[in-house]
């Protein structure tokens, strides 16, 4: 049975952040977030985590992206736990943080799934930037984030998504 949570006692924050980092470093398709970012997200209830027993099997990071808006990003579900149920539980817990969300993905099937299952709609980069009052673009222009994005960007087409409250 997989349990999805986003509120943890402060005494567990470091262990959870370390488990996310360790799992992310073992997965080549994941760009790990800094420990400081994960600890801040845990303090503010913005890191949704899935456990099967004591094993970390997934997470979804909600990052502030303007007043009343958050970016859904840094998602992972372990192959042993993949399926709509765990992903939906993670997504629903993340959406509950703030109903207004933006996201970007290079995976068309994932984008279509978000559109069908949770009311996202495809928009332009300009629209995502407006909805987030510039935060979405500004966060990507930060030197550390930009260098990671340039290394990770694929030849695929970006799908920009918005979910309004």
């Amino acid at each position: 049975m997989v349990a999805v949570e986003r509120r943890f006692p402060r005494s567990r924050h470091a262990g959870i952040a370390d488990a996310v980092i360790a799992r992310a470093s073992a997965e080549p398709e994941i760009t790990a977030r800094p420990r400081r970012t994960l600890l801040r997200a845990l303090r503010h209830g913005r890191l949704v985590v899935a456990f099967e027993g004591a094993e970390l099997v997934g997470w979804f990071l909600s990052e502030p992206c303007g007043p009343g808006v958050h970016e859904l990003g840094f998602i992972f579900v372990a192959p042993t736990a993949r399926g709509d149920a765990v992903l939906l539980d993670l997504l629903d817990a993340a959406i509950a943080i703030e109903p207004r969300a933006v996201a970007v993905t290079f995976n068309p099937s994932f984008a279509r799934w978000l559109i069908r299952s949770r009311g996202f709609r495809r928009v332009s980069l300009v629209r995502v930037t407006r909805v987030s009052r510039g935060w979405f673009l500004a966060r990507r222009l930060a030197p550390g984030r930009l260098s990671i994005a340039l290394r990770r960007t694929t030849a695929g087409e970006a799908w920009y998504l918005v979910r309004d409250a």
Side-chain angles (χ1 to χ4, degrees), residues 57-106:
V57 295
W59 63 81
F60 213 134
L61 178 63
S62 160
E63 299 181 88
C65 198
V69 179
H70 66 132
E71 180 181 355
L72 300 178
F74 195 44
I75 183 170
F76 173 77
V77 178
T80 58
R82 288 201 177 137
D84 283 352
V86 173
L87 186 56
L88 284 172
D89 288 349
L90 284 166
L91 183 58
D92 288 343
I95 287 173
I97 295 168
E98 294 193 50
R100 215 159 173 220
V102 297
V104 63
T105 182
F106 289 91

Side-chain angles (χ1 to χ4, degrees), residues 107-144:
N107 182 330
S109 60
F110 180 64
R112 285 190 287 274
W113 182 82
L114 284 174
I115 291 166
R116 274 192 323 274
S117 71
R118 291 300 177 264
F120 280 81
R121 59 191 168 87
R122 188 174 187 184
V123 297
S124 67
L125 173 59
V126 171
R127 180 69 184 137
V128 168
T129 302
R130 280 189 190 136
V131 166
S132 69
R133 296 188 181 141
W135 285 42
F136 182 85
L137 196 55
R139 285 172 13 98
R140 277 160 177 73
L141 294 176

Side-chain angles (χ1 to χ4, degrees), residues 19-34:
V20 168
I21 290 167
R23 188 70 194 242
S25 66
E27 302 290 335
E29 74 274 6
I30 297 176
T31 302
R33 295 297 195 276

Side-chain angles (χ1 to χ4, degrees), residues 6 8 12-24 30-49 56 59-63 73-74:
R6 71 179 182 98
F8 302 92
R12 290 191 59 201
H13 289 186
I16 292 169
D18 291 343
V20 168
I21 290 167
R23 188 70 194 242
I30 297 176
T31 302
R33 295 297 195 276
R35 188 172 196 269
R36 183 185 67 214
T37 298
L38 297 174
L39 290 171
R40 184 175 51 247
L42 284 161
R43 272 194 313 277
H44 297 288
R46 290 186 169 278
L47 183 63
V48 181
V49 182
L56 175 74
W59 63 81
F60 213 134
L61 178 63
S62 160
E63 299 181 88
F74 195 44

